[in-house]
Each structure stands twice: as C-alpha cells, then as structure tokens.
Amino acid sequence: MTQSEKLFARAKELIPGGVNSPVRAFRSVGGAPFFVKAAHGATLTTADDRELIDFVCTWGPAIHGHNHPRIKAAIATALEAGTSFGTPNPYEVEMAELIVRFVPSIQKVRMCNSGTEATMSAIRLARGFTRRDKIIKFSGCYHGHSDSLLIKAGSGALTHGNPDSAGVPASFARETVVLPYNDRAALDAAFAANPGEIACVIIEPYCGNVGFIMPDAGYLQYLREITAKHGTLLIFDEVMTGFRLHLAGVQGLLNAGRASATTPNSEPQTPNSPPPFAPDLTCLGKIIGGGLPVGAFGGRADIMDHLAPLGPVYQAGTLSGNPLAMAAGISALRLLEELNPYARLDQLGRQLRDAVLAACRTKGLPVQVPQSGSMFSIFFTDTPVRDYATALKGDAKIFGRFFHACLDRGVYLAPSAYEAGFLSTAHEGAAIARACEVLTTAVREI
Ligand code: KE4
C-alpha cells in the first residue's frame, strides 16, 4: 500500500468519508484521494513524494503559489507575539483599511472565519436591515453550507448529487427562491411574484462552483437595477473571485468595463476610483487569509452598522480577526498591490485554455474552456456553458478520464467537473509549459 492509501484507510475509520470536506474525496472522478505533506509554489508533494503541478491552489487562496516566503515570514512574525488574543488587535485594523481601500463599495467590513460564515452573516444582515425574509440565489452557485443557501447549490453539493442537502428544514427552503443564472426574465418574474418580500439577492458574479461560468454582457448591471428598484440588497459573493480576478474582484472588472462573457479582462488592473457599479454587500474569503482560515463581509456603512454591538443583527466569532490569519492575509494583499499580477495571470490562463482547445480540436472532441484571468474550467460538450443546465451537459465521464490522465502525468486539476481551476504567479515558466504538454497528451489519451 502507498502512504496515501494507508493514511486514507485510517482516515476513513475516523473522519466521514476520510475527508474534512466532501469535494476532496474524488467521488465524482473515481479513485482515492492522495494525501499531501508539503506544498511550495505551484507544486504539491504527496505523502509518497510525488510532485504534482497544482491547479486547485487550495481552492483559491494560493494566488501567489503555496508557502510564499513573504507570507510565511509574516505568519512567523505574528506567531512570535502569540496565536490568538480574543481582543481587538492591530492586524484587524490594517486588514480593514486594505479591504476598504481596494474594494470601494466596502465602507465597513467585519472579519469572520470562513466564506460560509461570511455569506450566512451577510444574508442575516440583509434580512435584519430590510425586515424581509425571502432571498434569491442562483442554481449552481455555492455560497458555503449554511441552511438557507444549501438549495440547488454547486461545488461539492452538486458534485455529490445533493444540491438540496438533507437536514435543511422545508421552512428554511421556502424562503430561498432559486433562479437560473444569466436569465433576466426569471428575475423579473421572481420580483413580480414576491413584491416587497425579497431581502437580498446573493450571487457569485462569476460562478466558480458549477465549473466556471461568466455572466452575459449587461446581466450584472440588470441585477443591480432590479434589486435597487425593489429595495432588495445585492450581495456579491466574491469569496472566490475577490482579489483573484482584480484587486476589487468582479466589481472591479465591472467598473473597468470588462466583466462579461464577451469581454474578459486583459489590461493591468489598478485600485478603483469610487465605483459606478457597487453591490450593497460583498463577501470575501480565501485569498484574504493567505491560506489561513478567514472570511469577511462588508459594504454600505448604513447597512453594516446594523450589526452588533451597534445594531440588532447579531454576528460573532471566537477567532474572527485572528492575528495569524490577518498577518498572512495582509501580506498576500500587499503582494498583490506590489505585483499587480492580473494581466500575467490572464496570459497564463489563456495559455492553458489554448492548449486544451487545440488538443481537442485536433482530436475532434467537443470542449468549452471558459477562462478569465487565473480562473478556468473544462466542459466536454459542444454546448456553450452559461448556467447550471448547460453545465450539466458537460460529459462528467470524459472529465473523470481526463482528470486521471492528467494526474497520472503529474498535473492535479480540481477533482470535479463542477469546480473552477486556479493558476498562481508560481505557475509562470516551467510549470505552465509542462502542464500544457500534459493536458495535450491527456486529451489524446482519453
Ligand atoms: P468556505 O466556508 O469553504 O471557506 O467558503 C464557502 C464558499 C463561499 N462562496 C464561494 C463562492 C465559495 O467558492 C466557497 C467555497 N468554495 C469551495 C470550492 N468550490 C470550497 C472547497 C470545499 O468546499 O472544500
């Protein structure tokens, strides 16, 4: 038995499915997960000392590659002073100042410990602020695993065939209206059917949890108009896209005039001036923790001031604003400001996309490779993918064979057809060149 096999056998005795998060279990691609003992740059080192080029990047946080020396040093410095104080600390203030500066729609921000907490808290805040109960989400979008949002959810819920999780009371589910993404008529109908009742609409502005799907031109702007018209708050869940695609996330691309399926970004990005496009609340996570547990939600001050201890909406967390996570996140954000890597990351993403498109064209294999910046996914279908229904047209069996053909050759893609892939600045050079060779060979093999 390999080391990973031995570890997995032990893990399955003690941890449900042997994993602490379902999507890691390889259930939809087959086979057993490998265990990782180290990660540096673009590479994972497995428990059996295999080196893999990593396109999961711990599901988004590792935009600078794994174990970046600057982030490691920041954690080490913070660690000298202790791990957690349970009191306000200077790092929290610096993190809040950075987020507010980089994301102009955020006037105030509250730190928490995961993307799930961020979206769950933002929903509660929207309900408390508007005194309305209903929310709108979109099929295939995944916003973490809080009850109100595990309805027609993406990511692991979709991967494992339970987009509507057991254990969510019907009374909760009734308050969640689920619409198709990219469908303006469905939005009109939902607001007409629920006049004055919708507290908020929560959306992944670019979907990364049903594979990668970008909005039609004008769709997000329409969403902003219709929510404003009905006194409904617009929540951008940028847990994945925040700081991934632009210093101000997708809303930064919108304000630079580049966020639609037809106009992916390519020019260098700079922090925005006051935004013509602004969601009311934004959820963040992943990158802002530099690889440590983190979440955040923020937006209009008049809404955020409804949070305890100022207002009636309660939200809390023992480790919220943890100094180690803040120090790691601050160094990750400062590195992004210094490097401004977004144009380079988009070039790497295009290189990977073009390699897969060319190989599939040669083989006569239908494929869609939506890509923007350092996010991409691969759907084996000839149907353009623009929502949950068309994402399901991707051939998951071919994806499974493709996934293993790549893994056998040292390239690790997300172990599900319903996830996004991620690139880091560490992929530049040898890693992306090798990966394109492997992807090309893998297409030939499947
Ligand atoms: P966490 O609670 O996992 O930190 O964040 C939940 C979340 C919220 N919003 C968006 C847009 C997200 O993508 C996520 C989490 N993303 C998944 C990957 N698709 C996390 C991986 C996992 O569940 O293990």
Side-chain angles (χ1 to χ4, degrees):
M1 282 174 86
T2 66
Q3 293 306 315
S4 282
E5 286 166 341
K6 287 175 189 162
L7 284 163
F8 195 41
R10 284 167 56 199
K12 283 190 287 190
E13 294 299 312
L14 305 164
I15 306 167
V19 292
N20 281 310
S21 197
V23 75
R24 304 175 190 170
F26 279 28
R27 298 295 284 266
S28 74
V29 292
F34 52 84
F35 281 60
V36 170
K37 66 180 183 184
H40 298 277
T43 304
L44 300 175
T45 303
T46 73
D48 294 283
D49 292 315
R50 278 196 73 201
E51 302 233 322
L52 302 172
I53 301 173
D54 175 26
F55 286 97
V56 179
C57 295
T58 182
W59 302 101
I63 194 167
H64 299 298
H66 292 289
N67 217 11
H68 191 284
R70 281 270 293 273
I71 296 174
K72 203 160 77 170
I75 296 170
T77 301
L79 185 57
E80 283 307 304
T83 55
S84 178
F85 312 138
T87 66
N89 69 72
Y91 289 110
E92 291 170 303
V93 182
E94 189 176 351
M95 173 61 85
E97 286 170 341
L98 285 176
I99 290 175
V100 167
R101 179 158 65 87
F102 288 138
V103 189
S105 69
I106 297 181
Q107 296 169 330
K108 285 195 174 181
V109 62
R110 170 66 59 88
M111 301 309 299
C112 53
N113 299 284
S114 69
T116 294
E117 278 188 53
T119 58
M120 174 182 72
S121 307
I123 297 287
R124 184 182 312 130
L125 176 59
R127 284 170 160 156
F129 179 78
T130 61
R131 299 173 185 277
R132 300 175 182 178
D133 293 339
K134 283 194 175 358
I135 67 170
I136 289 177
K137 77 173 287 288
F138 298 89
S139 43
C141 285
Y142 177 75
H143 304 288
H145 59 90
S146 66
D147 286 345
S148 293
L149 291 167
L150 268 184
I151 321 284
K152 269 273 180 286
S155 184
L158 175 57
T159 297
H160 294 83
N162 45 16
D164 305 308
S165 171
V168 176
S171 59
F172 276 54
R174 275 196 294 275
E175 301 299 344
T176 301
V177 176
V178 183
L179 302 179
Y181 183 78
N182 267 332
D183 183 335
R184 296 187 191 202
L187 274 172
D188 295 340
F191 277 99
N194 300 280
E197 296 178 46
I198 309 287
C200 63
V201 172
I202 185 166
I203 189 167
E204 290 182 66
Y206 281 14
C207 294
N209 287 292
V210 61
F212 182 56
I213 299 178
M214 289 182 276
D216 293 346
Y219 176 71
L220 296 173
Q221 288 84 348
Y222 187 73
L223 192 54
R224 176 66 286 181
E225 286 159 24
I226 197 167
T227 47
K229 183 177 149 196
H230 291 275
T232 293
L233 300 189
L234 176 58
I235 302 175
F236 264 23
D237 176 353
E238 298 226 47
V239 167
M240 189 183 269
T241 55
F243 299 98
R244 167 64 54 184
L245 296 174
H246 184 287
L247 271 179
V250 169
Q251 53 196 283
L253 296 177
L254 281 170
N255 286 310
R258 282 192 294 281
S260 80
T262 52
T263 55
N265 69 314
S266 55
E267 300 80 38
Q269 317 294 324
T270 53
N272 272 300
S273 54
F277 182 99
D280 298 300
L281 294 173
T282 297
C283 300
L284 298 169
K286 295 181 189 276
I287 287 173
I288 64 167
L292 296 189
V294 75
F297 61 106
R300 283 171 33 196
D302 64 316
I303 301 172
M304 294 298 289
D305 284 351
H306 275 64
L307 281 172
L310 292 181
V313 179
Y314 196 71
Q315 187 279 339
T318 302
L319 295 172
S320 297
N322 172 268
L324 301 189
M326 295 298 98
I330 287 164
S331 69
L333 298 190
R334 289 204 181 285
L335 207 44
L336 285 171
E337 186 180 27
E338 282 169 38
L339 298 176
N340 195 350
Y342 297 103
R344 271 167 52 214
L345 288 168
D346 187 54
Q347 281 158 5
L348 294 176
R350 289 165 189 255
Q351 203 176 331
L352 183 138
R353 176 198 67 185
D354 293 348
V356 175
L357 289 174
C360 288
R361 196 177 309 116
T362 304
K363 185 182 175 85
L365 181 64
V367 73
Q368 308 290 321
V369 187
Q371 170 269 335
S372 177
S374 56
M375 291 180 71
F376 67 94
S377 64
I378 299 167
F379 295 99
F380 291 105
T381 173
D382 55 6
T383 307
V385 177
R386 53 189 302 281
D387 56 17
Y388 179 88
T390 45
L392 293 184
K393 291 186 184 300
D395 186 318
K397 284 194 172 32
I398 296 181
F399 181 85
R401 294 204 301 271
F402 180 67
F403 168 84
H404 281 289
C406 292
L407 187 60
D408 293 346
R409 293 168 175 81
V411 167
Y412 175 50
L413 298 174
S416 161
Y418 307 119
E419 291 289 353
F422 301 95
L423 287 135
S424 76
T425 51
H427 283 80
E428 199 154 19
I432 193 69
R434 172 66 188 143
C436 288
E437 282 170 19
V438 166
L439 291 165
T440 301
T441 307
V443 166
R444 272 202 295 271
E445 299 291 306
I446 54 176

